[in-house]
Short mmCIF file of all heavy atoms in Angstrom, two decimals:
data_model
loop_
_atom_site.label_atom_id
_atom_site.label_comp_id
_atom_site.label_asym_id
_atom_site.label_seq_id
_atom_site.Cartn_x
_atom_site.Cartn_y
_atom_site.Cartn_z
N GLN A 1166 18.98 11.74 6.20
CA GLN A 1166 19.16 11.92 4.75
C GLN A 1166 20.56 11.52 4.32
O GLN A 1166 20.75 10.96 3.25
CB GLN A 1166 18.82 13.34 4.35
CG GLN A 1166 17.37 13.66 4.28
CD GLN A 1166 16.64 12.76 3.29
OE1 GLN A 1166 17.12 12.41 2.24
NE2 GLN A 1166 15.43 12.37 3.68
N ILE A 1168 22.49 9.25 5.72
CA ILE A 1168 22.56 7.80 5.74
C ILE A 1168 21.85 7.21 4.52
O ILE A 1168 22.38 6.32 3.85
CB ILE A 1168 21.96 7.25 7.06
CG1 ILE A 1168 22.79 7.66 8.25
CG2 ILE A 1168 21.82 5.75 7.00
CD1 ILE A 1168 22.17 7.38 9.60
N ILE A 1169 20.65 7.74 4.25
CA ILE A 1169 19.87 7.23 3.10
C ILE A 1169 20.64 7.42 1.81
O ILE A 1169 20.75 6.52 0.99
CB ILE A 1169 18.49 7.91 3.06
CG1 ILE A 1169 17.62 7.40 4.20
CG2 ILE A 1169 17.80 7.64 1.72
CD1 ILE A 1169 16.32 8.15 4.36
N SER A 1170 21.23 8.61 1.60
CA SER A 1170 21.95 8.86 0.35
C SER A 1170 23.22 7.98 0.27
O SER A 1170 23.64 7.65 -0.83
CB SER A 1170 22.30 10.33 0.25
OG SER A 1170 23.18 10.72 1.26
N TYR A 1172 23.52 4.84 1.43
CA TYR A 1172 23.23 3.42 1.31
C TYR A 1172 22.11 3.05 0.35
O TYR A 1172 21.78 1.87 0.19
CB TYR A 1172 22.88 2.85 2.70
CG TYR A 1172 24.08 2.76 3.60
CD1 TYR A 1172 24.41 3.81 4.42
CD2 TYR A 1172 24.91 1.63 3.60
CE1 TYR A 1172 25.54 3.72 5.25
CE2 TYR A 1172 26.02 1.54 4.44
CZ TYR A 1172 26.33 2.59 5.24
OH TYR A 1172 27.41 2.53 6.05
N GLN A 1173 21.53 4.04 -0.34
CA GLN A 1173 20.41 3.73 -1.21
C GLN A 1173 20.88 2.97 -2.43
O GLN A 1173 21.98 3.18 -2.95
CB GLN A 1173 19.65 4.96 -1.57
CG GLN A 1173 20.40 6.00 -2.36
CD GLN A 1173 19.61 7.29 -2.49
OE1 GLN A 1173 18.54 7.44 -1.90
NE2 GLN A 1173 20.12 8.21 -3.30
N VAL A 1174 20.00 2.10 -2.94
CA VAL A 1174 20.29 1.25 -4.08
C VAL A 1174 20.07 2.02 -5.39
O VAL A 1174 20.83 1.93 -6.33
CB VAL A 1174 19.46 -0.04 -4.05
CG1 VAL A 1174 19.72 -0.88 -5.26
CG2 VAL A 1174 19.72 -0.80 -2.77
N HIS A 1175 18.99 2.79 -5.40
CA HIS A 1175 18.69 3.66 -6.57
C HIS A 1175 18.21 5.01 -6.06
O HIS A 1175 18.13 5.24 -4.86
CB HIS A 1175 17.65 3.00 -7.49
CG HIS A 1175 16.41 2.57 -6.79
ND1 HIS A 1175 15.37 3.47 -6.49
CD2 HIS A 1175 16.00 1.38 -6.29
CE1 HIS A 1175 14.40 2.83 -5.86
NE2 HIS A 1175 14.78 1.57 -5.71
N GLU A 1176 17.93 5.92 -6.97
CA GLU A 1176 17.72 7.29 -6.64
C GLU A 1176 16.55 7.55 -5.69
O GLU A 1176 16.63 8.39 -4.77
CB GLU A 1176 17.49 8.12 -7.92
CG GLU A 1176 17.44 9.60 -7.70
CD GLU A 1176 17.29 10.35 -9.01
OE1 GLU A 1176 17.98 9.96 -10.01
OE2 GLU A 1176 16.51 11.30 -9.05
N THR A 1177 15.47 6.80 -5.84
CA THR A 1177 14.30 7.03 -5.01
C THR A 1177 14.17 6.04 -3.84
O THR A 1177 13.13 5.96 -3.19
CB THR A 1177 13.01 6.95 -5.88
OG1 THR A 1177 12.94 5.65 -6.47
CG2 THR A 1177 13.00 8.02 -6.93
N ASP A 1178 15.22 5.29 -3.58
CA ASP A 1178 15.21 4.28 -2.54
C ASP A 1178 15.31 4.91 -1.15
O ASP A 1178 16.29 5.60 -0.87
CB ASP A 1178 16.36 3.31 -2.77
CG ASP A 1178 16.48 2.29 -1.67
OD1 ASP A 1178 15.48 2.03 -1.00
OD2 ASP A 1178 17.58 1.76 -1.48
N THR A 1179 14.33 4.70 -0.30
CA THR A 1179 14.40 5.17 1.07
C THR A 1179 14.11 4.09 2.08
O THR A 1179 14.22 4.33 3.27
CB THR A 1179 13.37 6.31 1.31
OG1 THR A 1179 12.06 5.82 1.02
CG2 THR A 1179 13.70 7.53 0.46
N GLY A 1180 13.80 2.89 1.64
CA GLY A 1180 13.40 1.86 2.60
C GLY A 1180 13.90 0.48 2.30
O GLY A 1180 13.39 -0.51 2.85
N SER A 1181 14.96 0.35 1.52
CA SER A 1181 15.50 -0.98 1.23
C SER A 1181 16.14 -1.52 2.53
O SER A 1181 16.40 -0.78 3.47
CB SER A 1181 16.51 -0.95 0.10
OG SER A 1181 17.66 -0.21 0.50
N ALA A 1182 16.44 -2.79 2.51
CA ALA A 1182 17.01 -3.41 3.70
C ALA A 1182 18.36 -2.75 4.08
O ALA A 1182 18.63 -2.57 5.26
CB ALA A 1182 17.20 -4.90 3.45
N ASP A 1183 19.14 -2.41 3.08
CA ASP A 1183 20.43 -1.79 3.34
C ASP A 1183 20.27 -0.46 4.08
O ASP A 1183 20.96 -0.18 5.05
CB ASP A 1183 21.18 -1.50 2.03
CG ASP A 1183 21.58 -2.79 1.32
OD1 ASP A 1183 21.32 -3.89 1.85
OD2 ASP A 1183 22.15 -2.67 0.22
N VAL A 1184 19.33 0.33 3.63
CA VAL A 1184 19.08 1.62 4.27
C VAL A 1184 18.55 1.44 5.69
O VAL A 1184 18.99 2.12 6.62
CB VAL A 1184 18.09 2.47 3.42
CG1 VAL A 1184 17.66 3.72 4.14
CG2 VAL A 1184 18.68 2.81 2.08
N GLN A 1185 17.62 0.51 5.85
CA GLN A 1185 17.05 0.25 7.19
C GLN A 1185 18.14 -0.22 8.15
O GLN A 1185 18.17 0.23 9.31
CB GLN A 1185 15.95 -0.78 7.11
CG GLN A 1185 14.71 -0.30 6.41
CD GLN A 1185 13.65 -1.37 6.36
OE1 GLN A 1185 13.31 -1.96 7.41
NE2 GLN A 1185 13.11 -1.64 5.19
N LYS A 1234 26.57 -9.01 -1.03
CA LYS A 1234 25.97 -7.75 -0.56
C LYS A 1234 26.04 -7.70 0.96
O LYS A 1234 26.32 -6.65 1.56
CB LYS A 1234 24.53 -7.67 -1.05
CG LYS A 1234 23.89 -6.33 -0.88
CD LYS A 1234 22.51 -6.41 -1.55
CE LYS A 1234 21.76 -5.12 -1.43
NZ LYS A 1234 20.45 -5.19 -2.06
#
Side-chain angles (χ1 to χ4, degrees):
Q1166 283 301 322
I1168 293 170
I1169 290 172
S1170 63
Y1172 288 90
Q1173 63 189 7
V1174 178
H1175 53 81
E1176 188 176 318
T1177 59
D1178 176 24
T1179 58
S1181 67
D1183 295 358
V1184 172
Q1185 290 181 52
K1234 191 174 180 181

